[in-house]
Amino acid sequence: MVFLFHANPTVTQEKKYDNVVKITCQLKYQYKEFGWIWNSEKTISTIIYGTGFVLDGKIVTSKHVVCGLALEDYQAIQGEDGNIVQFNKNVILEKLIESKVRIGGLGIEPERIYISLKYDLAFLKISSEALETLRLQKLNVSHEEMYVGKKVEAWGFPSTSNPQVNIDLKITSIKDDWFVLNQSLEPGFSGGPIIDQNNHVLGIISRSEAKQSRIIAVNIMQVESNIFANEYGQGIMTCPNGEKYVGEFKNGKMNGQGTYTWPDGEKYVGEYKDGKMNGQGTYTWPDGEKYLGEYKDGKRNGQGTLTYPDGTKKVGRWKNGKYIGK
């Protein structure tokens, strides 16, 4: 299985307080096998384990923990049954069909998942009651100077059920939005925090590279700015039922231009206001039916054209979702 983490001996100890939580994600993929005279589509399910922590009321983790890697990054996937599927010119990984994310030992399901467009970051929104159930201690952002040689720690869930901390890490290189540490880590630390000596967060673990014996971490300032961006800016939101929105946000709601897709194939591309379809937009159905026109408060309102699968059209004005004539 090609994931971003590889086992490597580290200096670890079990933590005695709860600042991090285990993230479990079950992923189901579709792939195609090509034979001499036949092709067949199959599916494979696998599980990814990672780590999350609380920042600004959301669970922060790595994007690949809740979405998997980009399809082209997989050389093989090991299924839940232990079987391994190798990908090559005759076996092609086609798409991710399903992603089920659970938080902590109680298996809490996030209400929304916000994904950074640029960085390996994801933010899981859960209810205040669920957050209280996790009993996580809040972590604060570090404002200390970051420099090469600085000693830090990595907190997370490796293969064990208890959180652990790597206490033997140093910063070896610093870039604008990420930095490098001097060791690789075991699977499961992905998405966990990098901590300074005052127990404040410096960054989030993105990937571990065993061959180079190093960790790549995203700077905490980018984590903060991306949380803000998913409130005011471009972002991605996914729902447990498979619905997905890609577009602009304001005040944490869909505002501006965006695309919303449903698991059954329905799709809306257009303008939003306060979380509802509002303005010009195009709504399409799997059978080919399409509406192009104006929306208000989530319903067809104003001038628009509804085109049926057979090509016939209904052109005119709409009110509260109903056609009222030309």
Side-chain angles (χ1 to χ4, degrees):
M1 185 188 305
V2 179
F3 291 138
L4 298 179
F5 280 82
H6 306 267
N8 192 63
T10 56
V11 180
T12 60
Q13 62 185 29
E14 289 202 0
K15 285 174 44 56
K16 60 183 179 182
Y17 44 90
D18 296 326
N19 298 94
V20 292
V21 64
K22 192 169 190 174
I23 307 292
T24 304
C25 182
Q26 184 182 48
L27 300 168
K28 186 176 183 180
Y29 289 94
Q30 177 178 298
Y31 66 97
K32 181 176 287 187
E33 291 184 344
F34 296 88
W36 287 103
I37 57 174
W38 54 267
N39 300 328
S40 65
E41 288 188 342
K42 298 182 179 180
T43 61
I44 184 170
S45 295
T46 189
I47 294 179
I48 295 177
Y49 298 102
T51 301
F53 60 97
V54 177
L55 195 66
D56 290 345
K58 293 185 178 71
I59 304 292
V60 181
T61 188
S62 291
K63 178 165 60 177
H64 73 267
V65 170
V66 297
C67 298
L69 302 179
L71 297 181
E72 60 270 18
D73 290 337
Y74 283 106
Q75 298 175 14
I77 291 180
Q78 181 176 342
E80 293 182 70
D81 57 3
N83 291 327
I84 298 176
V85 176
Q86 300 279 348
F87 301 113
N88 50 53
K89 64 180 181 180
N90 296 319
V91 184
I92 306 298
L93 187 61
E94 291 189 314
K95 61 182 177 180
L96 175 64
I97 300 174
E98 188 176 58
S99 173
K100 293 182 179 179
V101 178
R102 297 295 182 268
I103 304 169
L106 297 176
I108 295 172
E109 185 176 11
E111 296 177 351
R112 294 285 189 274
I113 300 176
Y114 298 92
I115 300 169
S116 169
L117 293 175
K118 184 176 180 181
Y119 299 100
D120 186 20
L121 297 172
F123 313 105
L124 314 183
K125 180 182 178 182
I126 60 177
S127 67
S128 56
E129 293 80 8
L131 190 59
E132 186 175 342
T133 301
L134 291 174
R135 303 178 69 179
L136 290 175
Q137 299 293 320
K138 180 183 177 182
L139 287 170
N140 295 314
V141 172
S142 174
H143 295 288
E144 287 190 1
E145 179 186 0
M146 195 181 300
Y147 55 87
V148 173
K150 184 180 181 69
K151 292 184 178 181
V152 296
E153 299 178 352
W155 295 358
F157 285 84
S159 55
T160 63
S161 58
N162 295 319
Q164 293 190 359
V165 52
N166 182 303
I167 59 176
D168 194 30
L169 296 173
K170 291 181 181 179
I171 297 175
T172 59
S173 178
I174 301 172
K175 303 296 181 182
D176 290 338
D177 49 8
W178 53 275
F179 56 94
V180 181
L181 304 175
N182 64 328
Q183 289 187 35
S184 57
L185 289 170
E186 298 176 61
F189 272 94
S190 186
I194 298 297
I195 303 294
D196 66 17
Q197 293 180 330
N198 294 317
N199 287 347
H200 293 166
V201 184
L202 283 168
I204 178 173
I205 301 168
S206 176
R207 67 180 186 270
S208 181
E209 299 174 344
K211 290 183 178 180
Q212 291 82 7
S213 188
R214 66 180 186 178
I215 302 164
I216 307 298
V218 179
N219 191 307
I220 190 61
M221 299 307 170
Q222 296 302 329
V223 178
E224 283 194 308
S225 65
N226 272 265
I227 288 179
F228 184 81
N230 280 287
E231 296 288 334
Y232 301 88
Q234 289 282 342
I236 300 175
M237 178 187 74
T238 63
C239 306
N241 62 2
E243 296 176 11
K244 182 178 181 179
Y245 171 79
V246 180
E248 296 176 286
F249 289 87
K250 184 178 179 181
N251 297 323
K253 295 181 179 180
M254 298 176 288
N255 274 283
Q257 192 71 23
T259 299
Y260 203 106
T261 54
W262 285 262
D264 62 3
E266 293 183 17
K267 182 178 181 179
Y268 172 80
V269 180
E271 296 175 288
Y272 279 87
K273 183 178 179 181
D274 294 331
K276 295 180 180 180
M277 296 177 286
N278 217 95
Q280 285 290 330
T282 301
Y283 199 113
T284 56
W285 287 262
D287 63 359
E289 187 173 330
K290 180 173 73 173
Y291 172 80
L292 172 61
E294 296 176 281
Y295 281 86
K296 184 178 179 181
D297 295 329
K299 296 180 179 180
R300 285 173 273 188
N301 275 282
Q303 192 70 26
T305 300
L306 180 65
T307 304
Y308 294 99
D310 62 4
T312 58
K313 295 183 179 182
K314 185 180 287 186
V315 182
R317 297 194 61 80
W318 303 75
K319 185 175 181 180
N320 294 326
K322 296 182 179 180
Y323 181 70
I324 58 174
K326 295 184 178 181

